[in-house]
Amino acid sequence: MRLAILSSLALLAIAPPSSVFAEADCSEPLVRKEWRTLSSEEKQSYLSAVQCLQKTPGKTSDSYPGVQSRYDDFQAEHIQMTDLVHFVGFFQPWHRMFVAQYESDLRSWCNYTGAQPYWDWSLDAVSPEAFLKAPVFDAVDGFGGNGPYVDSANDPSVVAHIPGKTGGGCITDGPFKDRKVSMGPGKSTKLNPHCLRRDIAPEFAASKLNSTMVDWVLSADNFLEFDIRVQGGISADAATYHGGGHRGVGGDLGEIADIYSSPGDPLFFMHHANMDRLWHKWQHLDWDTRQSDIGGPDTQFAYPFDFFGTNPSYANVTLNYKMTYHNLVPGPFVKVRDVMETQKHGLCYTYE
Ligand SMILES: *[C@@H]1O[C@H](CO)[C@@H](O)[C@H](O)[C@H]1NC(C)=O
Ligand SMILES: *[C@@H]1O[C@H](CO)[C@@H](O)[C@H](O)[C@H]1NC(C)=O
Ligand SMILES: *[C@@H]1O[C@H](CO)[C@@H](O)[C@H](O)[C@H]1NC(C)=O
Ligand SMILES: [Cu+2]
């Protein structure tokens, strides 16, 4: 990021005054593509880069004892920040930068030359059967599939029981089959090596991730309304597409369903890239207005109409709100204003 910003300043200094800042800043944006449109070779190079990041030394093990790799820096920072960055107005800006840093690290530390792909789950959520066959779950050209069925109906550790869950055990195939997830479940950043579990809930996914849901979310006419639709409620019933992706794949027991430790499943970044694509799409339906439309509370659950039955004091998030990433992202903070556009201020990507 710093390098990109510095080089863009250098470019500005020599560019004619009439040049458009966005072009000087980012003339060749990375083009993020849907997983199934990538060639087998492109899929393999992405999956290898993720595995490489999981072997690259981390930077934050002094703060988070469970960190074993650069990949783990992301999981740890998410665990640490969960209660500050979900059900707040900067939920989407925070995750936009989080995914962009991941993409940047895959490229700079692991020689990955592509963009972060995304998973358009609405293409698979056409039926429960189709969802189970989603290309992202492929054992060779994907992230592997479900775990074996584990009955969790009476498991007290389950936060929300997801109807129709079909798995719950350790994944049995794919490139992450033998990987030990370093931290989680839950809030702990202590080292707790464990297998990656998935607990796919195909009916739930088909009802929360289908194109009707996407169209409804995209039809919101201001950011606050859009964001509330994206984030949904806490219960399984009240989930929308954010919770639908996490719990449609993670069910009762999967890592990705854990609001804290979910980045332990590499599909987290595929899901969040798609959510970022939909925010980008929503913004560009009315770019003049929406490039600067932001809102919602800076404090978890503090929605004005008492959406979640709580009533903490709060301020509304503005473009000047400073988001924290500790040492994950360069610099002491990132302003919301700097991530409103995906081709400015060091961000440099778009969506196909
Ligand atoms: C990346 O490429 C450089 C130059 O070819 C090489 O020295 C380095 O080992 C590669 N790194 C990884 C993680 O593959
Ligand atoms: C599609 O999503 C909508 C909104 O969540 C839901 O009401 C509907 O039942 C879903 N359709 C199917 C076939 O699951
Ligand atoms: C935050 O914004 C909402 C919606 O515009 C408004 O109703 C509310 O009064 C604002 N809250 C504060 C603390 O400014
Ligand atoms: Cu999150």
Side-chain angles (χ1 to χ4, degrees):
M1 292 288 292
R2 268 191 186 140
L3 272 179
I5 288 164
L6 284 178
S7 64
S8 75
L9 289 177
L11 273 176
L12 269 182
I14 52 164
S18 63
S19 76
V20 178
F21 179 72
E23 281 172 14
D25 200 11
C26 171
S27 57
E28 284 176 61
L30 291 173
V31 181
R32 294 184 178 178
K33 298 177 186 164
E34 212 283 330
W35 184 253
R36 76 201 73 208
T37 71
L38 301 182
S39 67
S40 178
E41 202 175 32
E42 289 170 325
K43 288 172 180 160
Q44 291 306 320
S45 80
Y46 179 76
L47 294 168
S48 302
V50 173
Q51 288 181 298
C52 157
L53 211 59
Q54 293 172 341
K55 293 186 200 112
T56 301
K59 287 186 184 170
T60 63
S61 52
D62 288 351
S63 316
Y64 308 127
V67 167
Q68 305 291 295
S69 69
R70 180 60 182 164
Y71 183 91
D72 291 351
D73 285 340
F74 288 85
Q75 193 194 19
E77 181 62 9
H78 191 272
I79 291 172
Q80 177 73 14
M81 292 299 286
T82 293
D83 292 330
L84 302 174
V85 303
H86 297 91
F87 302 105
V88 293
F90 61 97
F91 162 76
Q92 293 189 85
W94 193 88
H95 286 81
R96 169 168 283 178
M97 188 65 223
F98 190 72
V99 174
Q101 185 64 43
Y102 185 74
E103 176 181 63
S104 163
D105 286 351
L106 290 171
R107 292 169 55 83
S108 58
W109 299 44
C110 292
N111 292 346
Y112 178 58
T113 56
Q116 169 64 40
Y118 62 89
W119 171 26
D120 181 356
W121 18 250
S122 72
L123 299 172
D124 301 304
V126 292
S127 72
E129 298 72 32
F131 189 78
L132 283 168
K133 292 187 196 128
V136 291
F137 297 136
D138 195 87
V140 179
D141 277 342
F143 299 77
N146 212 0
Y149 184 74
V150 174
D151 182 357
S152 49
N154 301 311
D155 184 334
S157 75
V158 175
V159 177
H161 288 277
I162 306 304
K165 53 152 275 175
T166 58
C170 305
I171 61 169
T172 60
D173 60 13
F176 307 106
K177 169 170 71 82
D178 299 319
R179 166 160 205 266
K180 295 285 177 239
V181 178
S182 297
M183 288 158 283
K187 283 186 190 184
S188 175
T189 52
K190 293 207 179 81
L191 182 61
N192 178 33
H194 57 283
C195 71
L196 177 56
R197 297 194 291 176
R198 293 206 187 109
D199 194 359
I200 300 176
E203 286 91 8
F204 183 79
S207 71
K208 301 294 186 182
L209 300 174
N210 68 33
S211 58
T212 309
M213 174 67 86
V214 173
D215 292 347
W216 172 71
V217 172
L218 289 177
S219 70
D221 49 37
N222 62 66
F223 179 81
L224 181 59
E225 187 184 357
F226 172 71
D227 193 46
I228 286 169
R229 291 185 185 189
V230 168
Q231 297 197 61
I234 304 225
S235 67
D237 270 359
T240 58
Y241 68 55
H242 176 224
H246 283 282
R247 289 164 166 180
V249 175
D252 286 6
L253 298 174
E255 194 83 43
I256 197 172
D258 187 311
I259 188 171
Y260 296 96
S261 67
S262 45
D265 188 332
L267 278 175
F268 173 97
F269 297 93
M270 301 290 290
H271 174 43
H272 270 276
N274 191 45
M275 289 181 48
D276 186 64
R277 177 181 70 93
L278 293 171
W279 179 28
H280 177 267
K281 182 170 179 176
W282 180 84
Q283 288 184 304
H284 284 270
L285 292 172
D286 182 4
W287 179 245
D288 284 352
T289 309
R290 294 177 181 178
Q291 61 179 310
S292 56
D293 191 6
I294 196 74
D298 63 354
T299 304
Q300 195 175 40
F301 304 136
Y303 285 86
F305 39 83
D306 210 14
F307 191 60
F308 293 104
T310 55
N311 218 346
S313 60
Y314 70 98
N316 282 318
V317 170
T318 67
L319 294 175
N320 287 324
Y321 185 83
K322 293 173 178 171
M323 304 187 289
T324 304
Y325 295 86
H326 300 103
N327 295 322
L328 185 72
V329 165
F333 56 80
V334 176
K335 279 191 184 177
V336 166
R337 131 175 0 267
D338 292 342
V339 300
M340 293 300 285
E341 187 166 342
T342 66
Q343 295 181 48
K344 263 192 182 172
H345 308 299
L347 294 182
C348 190
Y349 65 87
T350 186
Y351 287 97
E352 190 175 78

